[in-house]
Structures are given as structure tokens and as C-alpha cells.
Amino acid sequence: MVRKAIGMPQLGTNGFLPVAQRKQVFLPEFTIALVRTPFLSPRYAQFRVPLHFNKLDLRDYLERVYGVGVVSIRSYIEQQPITRITRDNRNFGAWRRPQSIKRMTVELREPFVWPEEPTDFSRWEKESWDATEKHQQRVRKENAQKPDASEKPDEDLRKAYKEQAEQLKAEKEAWRPTWKALGLEFAHKEMAKGRYAPAPKWMKKTP
């Protein structure tokens, strides 16, 4: 029995099209952010670009992807201040300088005006977002490690020392060494004799 040959699908309607004839889609491997700059005229726009980006890259990107004409470009690198805050903004670590930010100001052929900022954020659930953000900031502040925690005194311990000192001055309480206050007099006597001193009764575990 001879089987019939299965016909090949027509080109252009399936995946058998040669690579050179397929529609090529290229996605950029970088992120460019358009910054809102109300202090600039409509002829200028500012972008935050990667550090390896140059003026020719940004000009070709704007002209080929968005069809935006460019007259000139000015760029500068904004150095970040030294900080001890970790990258997750939760704790403090070693002193470091965060990565710098590169900005480019483009002079456009056609003016560009930013749209007005929205005043009603109800459809974006801004109230819930703000409440969650405040809660996270409060929890982060409570659990964060303070950089000068070791330099600040313990306020509770300082208050307890002050109260005890006032009682001693008023002779309401007789001063005793720590080993006497803990009931270790017997242990000190036995240790002075060179013998093993058992633990006091208050240190023994009760079943």
C-alpha cells in the first residue's frame, strides 16, 4: 500500500517561512525614562538613560522608534551621595556610593507639552496605595537597624539606675554587691575554700 504524500503548507502562512522573510521584532535591552521637567521650555525634554548610553544612541532611538526629530543633546552624570543605607532601604551597612545616574537633555524639532497631572486618582486606588506605603515605612522604621544604636544609652536602664541611686541616697535601700543581691554568698565562701559550690536554690530548675 502506497501512502499519499502530505503536501507542504504554503509559505507565508506558517512557521516554515525562512528567517530572512519573517517579521523581525527587536526589543531593547535597556530602559529610558522621560522625566517631567516643568522648568524647561516645550522645546526641551529630559531623559534618564543607562550609563553606557551616548548621544548618538539616544538620537537614533528617538528618531527610529518614535519619529521624534532631535536638534541637539546635552548629557551629564549625576553622582550620588555616600550613604550607609542598604539597597533594600531597610538596614544600615558599610559606607558606599550608589550607582550614578546619567541624564540627557534633548532639544526637539517640534515642541512637546506635558499633559496636565491628574487630580482624581480613585481609579488607581491611590488611597489604598498610600496607606500601604505608610504602614510599610512605619514597620521598616521600627525594625530598621540604627547606625548609632551602639552610641545611644539605654534609656530604661538609665532610668532604673537613677531610681536606685535616689533610693540609696534617701537610705531607703541598703547597697549590696551583685553577688549578695543574687544570693551567692554561700557560693563565694565555698569557692574561697577551694571546694565546689552548688548552685543556689533559686537557680535550680523546678520540675
Side-chain angles (χ1 to χ4, degrees), residues 1-134:
M1 180 177 179
V2 180
R3 297 182 178 179
K4 296 181 180 180
I6 301 177
M8 297 295 293
Q10 297 180 359
L11 297 177
T13 60
N14 50 74
F16 292 97
L17 198 65
V19 178
Q21 300 180 18
R22 296 179 189 175
K23 184 178 181 180
Q24 303 294 312
V25 179
F26 299 95
L27 299 178
E29 298 180 352
F30 49 82
T31 303
I32 296 178
L34 177 60
V35 183
R36 181 183 287 271
T37 50
F39 53 87
L40 292 178
S41 67
R43 286 282 182 177
Y44 294 90
Q46 189 177 106
F47 298 87
R48 190 167 62 243
V49 301
L51 290 175
H52 65 272
F53 233 59
N54 56 38
K55 299 179 181 179
L56 299 178
D57 294 334
L58 183 60
R59 185 197 64 181
D60 293 343
Y61 178 79
L62 294 177
E63 290 183 351
R64 296 179 183 273
V65 177
Y66 297 101
V68 176
V70 177
V71 178
S72 63
I73 299 178
R74 292 177 296 173
S75 65
Y76 73 96
I77 296 178
E78 181 181 347
Q79 196 175 36
Q80 301 301 299
I82 299 177
T83 180
R84 290 186 61 185
I85 301 177
T86 55
R87 290 175 175 83
D88 56 0
N89 294 327
R90 294 184 178 181
N91 294 311
F92 293 86
W95 288 101
R96 64 182 183 87
R97 185 183 295 276
Q99 187 178 21
S100 302
I101 298 176
K102 189 171 187 178
R103 301 179 185 271
M104 289 190 178
T105 305
V106 181
E107 184 180 358
L108 307 174
R109 293 180 183 175
E110 300 293 335
F112 169 76
V113 180
W114 274 91
E116 295 183 1
E117 297 185 12
T119 56
D120 183 15
F121 300 95
S122 57
R123 61 175 182 174
W124 292 292
E125 300 181 356
K126 187 175 185 300
E127 295 181 359
S128 301
W129 174 272
D130 293 342
T132 304
E133 186 70 18
K134 290 181 180 179

Side-chain angles (χ1 to χ4, degrees), residues 195-207:
R195 291 182 295 181
Y196 170 74
K201 294 182 179 180
W202 64 270
M203 294 181 62
K204 295 181 180 179
K205 296 183 179 179
T206 56

